[in-house]
Amino acid sequence: MSNTTYQNQQSASGKLFSVKSLYLLLVIIGSIAPWSLIIQFFIQNGFSISSLILREFDNYAAAAFGTDLLISAVVFFCFTFFELKRLGLSRSRLLIYIAATFGIGLSCSLPLFLYFREGVLEDKN
């Protein structure tokens, strides 16, 4: 489906939220949710990044989630690298998404990228 077709469907659907505003809402949720849990961890265990990372691999279930998240982050960085080129944007923007991923989480950086990408796609039409 072309971008023009996609944009026409979005405007014709008359939805309450645009795709861009949905991504922004997900950025907010994706920023608050993980940090609320991390703050609870620090309250209970003291501020220790190394302890946080070690606990991520305490058991096989936790390690599976941690490994899945790390692989997903690498895939996201690769996708972002190529998508920025396709959109004609500076690849230095990738640093923003890397910082957001390691500073907040993939749950923030992915919708943040999609939010800005949606803005670029809107501007091109």
Side-chain angles (χ1 to χ4, degrees):
M1 176 181 322
S2 73
N3 288 337
T4 306
T5 305
Y6 173 76
Q7 292 296 329
N8 290 340
Q9 283 181 348
Q10 288 299 319
S11 60
S13 65
K15 293 183 181 179
L16 181 63
F17 281 107
S18 68
V19 173
K20 191 174 176 185
S21 61
L22 174 64
Y23 290 145
L24 184 58
L25 177 65
L26 292 172
V27 168
I28 295 166
I29 293 168
S31 299
I32 294 171
W35 269 99
S36 65
L37 297 171
I38 290 173
I39 288 170
Q40 287 297 329
F41 175 84
F42 287 147
I43 289 170
Q44 291 178 356
N45 301 292
F47 185 76
S48 173
I49 301 293
S50 60
S51 176
L52 179 67
I53 293 170
L54 288 174
R55 293 265 178 105
E56 183 180 359
F57 295 96
D58 264 356
N59 58 55
Y60 291 119
F65 283 112
T67 302
D68 181 64
L69 185 60
L70 289 172
I71 292 169
S72 297
V74 170
V75 170
F76 170 63
F77 297 149
C78 292
F79 170 73
T80 302
F81 181 80
F82 294 113
E83 188 67 3
L84 288 171
K85 179 182 179 187
R86 188 179 75 80
L87 294 172
L89 300 172
S90 170
R91 288 184 175 165
S92 63
R93 287 181 173 220
L94 181 59
L95 297 174
I96 295 168
Y97 306 117
I98 292 171
T101 300
F102 290 110
I104 300 171
L106 186 60
S107 61
C108 170
S109 61
L110 177 58
L112 182 66
F113 169 77
L114 294 172
Y115 172 80
F116 286 125
R117 178 180 177 266
E118 193 67 26
V120 170
L121 293 175
E122 286 175 358
D123 291 344
K124 288 188 175 191
N125 289 323

